[in-house]
Each structure stands twice: as C-alpha cells, then as structure tokens.
Amino acid sequence: EVQLVESGGGLVQPGRSLRLSCTVSGFTLGDYAMSWFRQAPGKGLEWVGFIRSKPYGGTTEYAASVKGRFTISRDDSKSIAYVQMNSLKTEDTAVYYCARHRRGYAFEIWGQGTMVTVSS
Amino acid sequence: QSALTQPASVSGSPGQSITISCTGTSSDVGAYNYVSWYQQDPGKAPKLMIYEVSNRPSGVSNRFSGSKSGNTASLTISGLQAEDEADYYCSSYTSSSTVIFGGGTRLTVL
C-alpha cells in the first residue's frame, strides 16, 4: 500500500526551528518529486515547496512566504523527505502535509498531516 | 503571487450539476495545462480529483470533469450526491516554477 506519514510537528516558540519528516512506503521515493503544503486553522491550502527527483536535478522551489527560511531535502535511501523550518513565525502555525507528485504538477498521494504550532 | 480566485461557496440539490470556477492569470492557469482540483473533507487530507485540466485519476467518479478557457478553469460535478459535499481547491503551476492554490470553495448539497 502506498503511504506517506508526516512526523515532527509540535509546539515551538517564535524564532526557533523544527524539522518535519515525510516517511513513504509502497513506492520508491527516488522516482518522484515531492511537495510540502500547509493549511492554517480554518484556512485554505498553501503550497510550501517541492523537491525534484534526482534524475531531474533534485532541485527545489519554494513559496515566497517561506523562501530563505524553509529548506526541503530528501534521503531516497531512507525513503524520507524533509522540510527544515527556521526562524518560525506565528503565521507558520498550520497542519503540514507532504504529497507525491504525478505528472503535470498534480499531487496524487497525501499524508495525514502533522500540526505545527508556533507560539510563545 | 496572488491566489487563484474561486467562489467561496456553491450549492446544489441532489442530481443537479454545479460548476466551480478558478480564475488565474496568463502566468499560471492561462500559461499551462497544469491545473488540478482537490476535494477535502473536514479534518482530512485533500484528494486529487482532476489533473492536467481534465484528466481523472483512477477511482474518481466520471461525474467529475474539468475544463479550461483562457485564464479560467472549471470543475463540474454532475448528478450531485450528498457525499460530494466538501471543500474544493484548484491549483496551477506558474511561470515562476511555483504552485498556487485557489482560496477554496465550500460545496453544500441541499
């Protein structure tokens, strides 16, 4: 069964850092680009960024709201994608999801999400 | 880059058809056939319903269809059913190599 499981969420103070993990199973992570998203309480979906697969350079793209603060990476040997979140702000409070890409920049398999709360 | 524009809410009776619009610009919706639609139930992860404007993933009902004209994409749900009640989001790839979403549309089945 194809599955994505996010972990690493929790309560963190403003200005601190947090790293989220997306552990995948049922497919070969190295064959796919992966994206991170977030959804603030009661709000809509926001794309955070993505990382291409290694054959496509393994490069990353980010939303303007997180560029320079968040870094997406991948360890295909461990089947885990990461998002390192630095200089966290209260407005980063959200449920964070990872998802597997399919062609055409669509996101076909999603994790269940992990909650990040940034508060003093 | 601003979010894509969707109506905040739409409603319809069982058996009817509804259409949700998603308006962007010539730098996103109008530039690429990379528009997707997602269904989200409260407290759940989104589910991909349409990709590349009009393609349905395996397992998605053929009551769901997508189209695009210029800078506006549309999701049509025919034969509305109670289980279709959910939030719907469109997304598009952009000329900046990013992805943007619409603000979401709450579908109510009357």
Side-chain angles (χ1 to χ4, degrees):
Chain A
E1 179 190 6
V2 173
Q3 196 171 13
L4 287 70
V5 178
E6 300 93 341
S7 59
L11 175 63
V12 61
Q13 293 179 328
R16 304 297 289 261
S17 299
L18 200 63
R19 187 180 77 164
L20 306 182
S21 300
C22 172
T23 304
V24 312
S25 57
F27 67 97
T28 300
L29 178 62
D31 292 340
Y32 293 89
M34 297 291 292
S35 267
W36 285 92
F37 306 82
R38 64 186 181 183
Q39 188 168 33
K43 301 297 184 181
L45 292 169
E46 180 185 14
W47 173 79
V48 169
F50 70 75
I51 185 166
R52 298 176 177 87
S53 60
K54 291 285 174 57
Y56 289 88
T59 51
T60 52
E61 306 288 350
Y62 298 95
S65 59
V66 306
K67 197 169 187 177
R69 298 189 300 124
F70 288 16
T71 301
I72 296 172
S73 60
R74 60 193 301 152
D75 186 335
D76 294 339
S77 67
K78 294 183 178 178
S79 296
I80 304 176
Y82 302 97
V83 58
Q84 175 70 41
M85 306 185 295
N86 298 331
S87 302
L88 282 162
K89 307 175 182 180
T90 55
E91 52 262 43
D92 294 320
T93 294
V95 174
Y96 283 74
Y97 296 98
C98 62
R100 187 181 87 175
H101 283 220
R102 71 167 300 149
R103 77 174 196 229
Y105 296 93
F107 314 106
E108 59 179 349
I109 310 292
W110 294 66
Q112 84 291 348
T114 187
M115 183 70 203
V116 172
T117 302
V118 184
S119 174
S120 54
Chain B
Q1 193 150 16
S2 300
L4 305 176
T5 300
Q6 297 181 232
S9 63
V10 297
S11 62
S13 299
Q16 288 185 330
S17 294
I18 63 95
T19 296
I20 300 172
S21 61
C22 171
T23 301
T25 70
S26 57
S27 296
D28 39 67
V29 174
Y32 307 95
N33 287 326
Y34 292 155
V35 176
S36 306
W37 289 90
Y38 302 85
Q39 177 191 64
Q40 188 180 33
D41 291 321
K44 302 288 189 179
K47 175 186 177 183
L48 177 65
M49 306 302 285
I50 296 287
Y51 67 96
E52 290 182 323
V53 176
S54 59
N55 294 302
R56 276 188 313 275
S58 174
V60 172
S61 170
N62 59 9
R63 297 185 298 103
F64 291 82
S65 62
S67 63
K68 190 185 85 167
S69 177
N71 297 337
T72 298
S74 298
L75 172 71
T76 298
I77 308 174
S78 59
L80 208 57
Q81 300 180 359
E83 67 201 47
D84 300 330
E85 187 162 292
D87 293 325
Y88 290 85
Y89 295 90
C90 62
S91 76
S92 175
Y93 182 67
T94 83
S95 60
S96 301
S97 300
T98 61
V99 174
I100 55 172
F101 278 87
T105 298
R106 174 69 54 87
L107 169 60
T108 300
V109 180
L110 301 170

